[in-house]
Each structure stands twice: as C-alpha cells, then as structure tokens.
Amino acid sequence: MRKPLIAGNWKMYKTINEAVELANGAKRELLDFSEVDIVLCPPFTSLDSVYEVIMDTDIKLGAQNLYWQEEGAFTGEVSPIMLKDCGCEYVIIGHSERRKYFAETDETVNKKIKTALAVGLIPIVCVGETLKERESQKTIEVVQRQLQQGLKEIAKDTFSKIVIAYEPVWAIGTGKTATPQQAQEVHKFIRDWIEDNYSSDIAQKTRILYGGSVKPSNIEELMREEDIDGALVGGASLKVSSFVDITRNAVKIR
Ligand code: PGA
C-alpha cells in the first residue's frame, strides 16, 4: 500500500555537466519503471539543469537543504520558494552531515520542516544515532528526541506528506549497513511513534526510508522488512548503474 521511494542524495558531488549526464542515465534506464517513486537530489547549482532533463518523466527533483525564510537578507541561503521555482518537489531536511558540520539542531530542523510544508515541498526528514549512542543503548532515545522535537507542532493534515529517513550515522558512507533487523527495529519504533502521536492511518501511510551504505546487493533484504519503504542513497546514487540496480532490486520481492 505504501509505494516504495528511492531517493539519491548526491551531496556535494557533480558539476552541472556531470549532473546532467547522471540524470540522463537514470532517465534512460528508468523511464518506464513506475513501481518505485524516484527522487534525485543534486546540489543547488544543478537543480535547474537536472529538472530540464527529468521534467517530462515521473522522476522527481529534490534539494538537500533549505532555509526557513521565504526571502530576505540571508546571504548564502536558499529559500523554499526558490527550490519550487527550480522544479523541486522534495527537500532533505536534517541530514546528519548538516547536523554535524553545519550546526543544525532539532529546532532548526523543525523550522525547516514547517516552511517546506507551508510551500508544498515534501520534506525527507533524517533521523539517526551515532555509533557512540548505539553502543550505549541510546538509539531509541535519540531517535525519539529527534522525532519529538524535529516534528513538534506539525499539524495532522500535513503530517501525512512527510517522508522519514532513518539513517544511522555510523552507516553513512562507511560501507557498514545496519542489518535489516537493526533497521526494522527502529523503523517500527518510528511507525509506532507516528501512530501514538498522530493516527494509525497516518502511520500506515507514512513512508520510512532507510539510509546508510545502501547498495544494489543489500537493498533487497532491507526491503523485505515490513516497515522499510525505500532508501535514501548517497554514494551508490552517483553512478547510473548502481542507482538503477538499487531502484530495480527494491521491488524484486514484491
Ligand atoms: P551513503 O549515504 O549511502 O553514502 O551511506 C547515505 C546518506 O547520507 O543519505
């Protein structure tokens, strides 16, 4: 009932030409593939050019961040209106790299989610624990705090638009994937949290992605888990072949 979603987070990789090439490759290989929702998240500088490539397909465009004001004297920031203007429908919010290197907090994440929803962008909200937190048995506590504070005061009628991505920090870019069981445990916790705080209907509809060293060889076993609805893919989204294989393998078991 939840359509799988595979999103490629290109991070700070790809010039405009390279981004266009990658988007063209994905388009060519996945043109008639409608079993999965596909989102490409290039850097800001390539949004417009990638949009030109995919605008006549079902592949969607996403940004990797936004600022919570619609305009103003905020040098260096990009507003949600500007993202919409480039053709974005999605935006990644609260990625652990933003939290770690750019001082993002649950509070700024919350502002960004509200702004995204207000202009009609679908937020892909990232949560996840560090290795130290996992080793000290704090995973659920950390994820719960990120949900409680990051998603504070989000109205019921807009919540169903949100996508959540569980990304254990220790699995991002490290080649170490959470086992399907480790991921499922947290995904189930997230879905139960949504049920308790919103409704079981919303919980059943919300897509919860896994992120952290997703590859063509591990997506299938992850997707077997009941509460894993897709993936936020970093490194493996930078090559046409691996991104395409992940997308296709994601629905192999269905
Ligand atoms: P990775 O990154 O797939 O390279 O681990 C995932 C992410 O940061 O979203």
Side-chain angles (χ1 to χ4, degrees), residues 41-60:
C41 305
F44 289 134
T45 48
S46 301
L47 285 174
D48 194 41
S49 314
V50 168
Y51 184 62
E52 291 275 315
V53 175
I54 59 174
M55 63 191 287
D56 57 346
T57 73
D58 287 333
I59 301 175
K60 307 291 188 201

Side-chain angles (χ1 to χ4, degrees), residues 23 26-28 30-31 33 37-40 50-51 54-61 89 243:
K27 173 176 162 173
R28 190 179 58 237
L30 297 165
L31 199 55
F33 196 70
D37 283 338
I38 301 164
V39 183
L40 305 181
V50 168
Y51 184 62
I54 59 174
M55 63 191 287
D56 57 346
T57 73
D58 287 333
I59 301 175
K60 307 291 188 201
L61 187 68
E89 289 183 45
F243 186 67

Side-chain angles (χ1 to χ4, degrees), residues 1-4 156 159-164 184 187-209 225-230 254:
M1 130 184 186
R2 294 181 294 270
K3 189 172 179 189
K156 239 188 189 165
F159 192 95
S160 46
K161 306 220 166 61
I162 294 176
V163 174
I164 311 250
Q184 166 60 20
H187 280 234
K188 167 99 173 53
F189 168 77
I190 294 171
R191 202 173 305 287
D192 289 347
W193 183 90
I194 299 170
E195 178 165 347
D196 292 346
N197 288 274
Y198 289 88
S199 71
S200 84
D201 184 48
I202 293 176
Q204 284 314 312
K205 285 186 184 143
T206 304
R207 287 187 288 193
I208 308 175
L209 314 182
E225 298 297 328
E226 196 181 328
D227 292 296
I228 301 183
D229 307 314
R254 286 172 192 239

Side-chain angles (χ1 to χ4, degrees), residues 171-186:
I172 295 178
T174 57
K176 261 191 238 161
T177 323
T179 65
Q181 295 69 31
Q182 281 173 324
Q184 166 60 20
E185 190 194 346
V186 182

Side-chain angles (χ1 to χ4, degrees), residues 9 11 95 97 167 171-174 211-214 232-236:
N9 172 12
K11 308 195 179 185
H95 190 281
E97 286 151 16
E167 299 207 303
I172 295 178
T174 57
S213 300
V214 171
L232 181 55
V233 187

